């Protein structure tokens, strides 16, 4: 985390790619956490699971896996909405940690109940069977070590324009970009009791070693900055292209042509936390005659009738908190490019309030606060 | 009761003459009472507005501002109490942010943000209310009809 003093070490295990498993076991064994959110590998994907016993973190534990069946922030809301006694460890990529912070502002998660280790990410697949190269941990670590902004085949489209490859919002981080698997991983922890305890516990793990890093820290920082820069440019280009092609009502209604208003996007969205969305209520139930009178007014009425209103309402309700994780698009059975709608419209709206979702848990949601001397009328 | 297929003859006539149509969400404590005062004071103002009473401008979800515009209404007015006068302490300030957000989204999609007005009008300002409606009607007349009135896919 920027500002606070950090201590950074190279963690290496005898087992290839075993570092994150060792760190998670160490966190559990040291009592820093009482549970850990563990992505467990299957033949086609990973299943997020909560594990209490460090010895049950086996070789199928695939921390940082480039596969996100769900934004993990949603799962942590389930676990901490009624806070547990003790903390839960979660290894999160940037979009997941930023969503978690937004959910904390919405009072849907308890941050004190979660120890977040932020992890580097160059892109991750969404739901459904993942391609084999993403399930291969060795291949993934080699890809991370390679760095570079190019998105991996099979990852969500949102990842290709994500300019936040490192979860710098977290106090604990694991750096993988440009760090060779032979050297291990870069574990950065705060220079406080928790941080020192974790480092000591990792050093005590069987087969794990902790050492002072050399040039890795600077190399990693430079590689992360390079990815961020290149992805940032890709994002700017994508936004400009969207603005040219889709940034108006007529084109947007074209883009939403296949929408059946199934509400999958809102279910997949980590920010959409309402138990019952207003679009699931009877609010928009109408009578046949009213449909016909709408049809008479415009010559026709599109069915389902509230597709545009639904997307605009989502923008109004959660657009300011959107972390651009792209889960909405990944879950859209109609293949609608929702990522760009939220990236573009959201960015412009957030600029109104100089707000950046997930930047800081202490920041208030823009629509819950006000300043007397702003906007019109006064 | 069967719903008429022609529920609002006055509105349809207005459309025929391409007269601007305005939906106004007015807070019970200030602007609605101001509108009432305009009426009891027999002030004349443009008949282009349909008023919906809300308890507070802060209760107007962006959804309710966008829905009429997507349906083809030419303008939406939200009226609340003056700065510092909100019956619920700060609903009007929060409304101001929400309206700014909606205007931003509409503008971003090519609809003039001046189709959405937010005004502070107190219970004693019947005159201001009447003037606001006249001014808004005139401004919308200049803007021309809402293009979304013809967009069946929206």
């Amino acid at each position: 985390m920027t500002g606070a003093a950090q201590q950074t070490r190279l963690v290496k295990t005898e087992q290839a790619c075993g570092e994150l498993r060792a760190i998670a076991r160490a966190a559990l064994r040291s009592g820093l956490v009482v549970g850990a959110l563990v992505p467990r590998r299957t033949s086609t994907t990973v299943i997020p699971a909560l594990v209490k016993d460090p010895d049950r973190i086996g070789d199928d534990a695939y921390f940082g896996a480039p596969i996100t069946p769900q934004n993990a922030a949603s799962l942590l809301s389930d676990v901490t909405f009624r806070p547990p006694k003790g903390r839960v460890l979660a290894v999160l990529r940037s979009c997941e940690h930023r969503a978690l912070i937004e959910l904390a502002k919405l009072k849907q998660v308890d941050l004190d109940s979660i120890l977040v280790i932020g992890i580097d990410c160059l892109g991750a697949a969404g739901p459904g069977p993942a391609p084999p190269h993403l399930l291969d941990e060795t291949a993934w670590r080699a890809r991370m070590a390679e760095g570079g902004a190019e998105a991996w085949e099979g990852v969500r489209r949102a990842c290709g324009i994500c300019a936040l490859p490192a979860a710098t919002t977290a106090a604990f981080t694991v750096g993988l970009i440009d760090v060779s698997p032979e050297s291990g991983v870069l574990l950065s922890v705060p220079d406080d009791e928790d941080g020192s305890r974790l480092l000591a516990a990792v050093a005590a793990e069987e087969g794990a070693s902790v050492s002072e890093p050399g040039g890795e820290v600077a190399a990693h920082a430079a590689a992360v900055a390079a990815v961020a820069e290149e992805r940032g440019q890709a994002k700017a280009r994508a936004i400009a292209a969207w603005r040219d092609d889709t940034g108006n009502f007529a084109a947007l209604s074209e883009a939403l042509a296949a929408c059946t208003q199934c509400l999958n996007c809102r279910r997949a969205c980590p920010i959409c936390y309402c138990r019952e969305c207003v679009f699931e209520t009877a609010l928009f139930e109408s009578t046949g005659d009213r449909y016909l009178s709408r049809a008479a007014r415009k010559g026709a009425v599109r069915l389902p009738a509230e597709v545009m209103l639904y997307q605009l309402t989502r923008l109004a309700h959660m657009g300011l908190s959107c972390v651009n994780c792209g889960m909405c698009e990944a879950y859209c059975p109609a293949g609608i490019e929702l990522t760009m709608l939220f990236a573009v419209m959201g960015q412009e709206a957030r600029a109104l309030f100089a707000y950046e979702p997930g930047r800081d848990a202490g920041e208030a949601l823009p629509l819950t606060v006000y300043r007397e001397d702003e906007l019109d009328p006064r | 009761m069967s719903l008429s297929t022609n529920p609002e003859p006055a509105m349809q006539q207005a459309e025929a003459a391409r007269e601007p149509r305005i939906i106004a969400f007015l807070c019970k404590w200030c602007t609605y009472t101001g509108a009432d005062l305009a009426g009891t004071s027999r002030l004349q103002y443009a008949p282009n507005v349909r008023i919906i009473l809300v308890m507070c401008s802060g209760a107007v979800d962006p959804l309710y501002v966008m829905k009429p515009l997507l349906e083809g209404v030419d303008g939406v007015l939200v009226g609340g109490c003056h700065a510092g006068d909100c019956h619920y302490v700060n609903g009007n300030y929060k409304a101001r942010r929400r309206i700014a957000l909606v205007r931003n989204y509409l503008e971003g999609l090519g609809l003039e943000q001046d189709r959405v007005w937010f005004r502070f009008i107190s219970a004693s300002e019947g005159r201001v209310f009447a003037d606001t409606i006249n001014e808004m009607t005139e401004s919308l007349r200049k803007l021309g009809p809402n293009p979304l009135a013809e967009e069946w896919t929206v």
Side-chain angles (χ1 to χ4, degrees), chain A residues 124-168:
Chain A
H133 64 274
L134 298 181
L135 286 156
D136 179 347
E137 198 174 22
T138 316
W140 165 66
R141 283 288 294 278
R143 172 71 188 88
M144 295 300 288
E146 194 181 299
E150 207 169 306
W152 219 0
E153 201 185 324
V155 304
R156 302 197 303 283
R157 229 167 48 90
C159 305
I161 56 163
C162 170
L164 295 160
T168 50

Side-chain angles (χ1 to χ4, degrees), chain A residues 298 306 315 317 366 374 377, chain B residues 61 67 70 96-97 105 108:
Chain A
K298 289 194 172 190
E306 312 294 351
L315 270 172
H317 286 178
E374 65 175 4
Chain B
D61 191 283
K67 169 80 173 163
L70 296 187
R96 193 166 62 183
R97 282 200 161 198
Y105 283 141

Side-chain angles (χ1 to χ4, degrees), chain A residues 31 34 42 80 96-97 105 124 149 207 220 243 290 303 311 371:
Chain A
V34 295
T42 72
T80 68
E96 293 175 320
H97 191 221
K105 295 176 192 169
H220 169 256
R243 264 261 151 264
R290 275 184 193 236
L303 296 172
Q311 294 299 348
R371 285 206 338 258

Side-chain angles (χ1 to χ4, degrees), chain A residues 302-317:
Chain A
R302 182 217 198 285
L303 296 172
E306 312 294 351
V307 164
M308 179 67 76
L309 185 64
Y310 166 62
Q311 294 299 348
L312 291 182
T313 302
R314 280 199 75 225
L315 270 172
H317 286 178

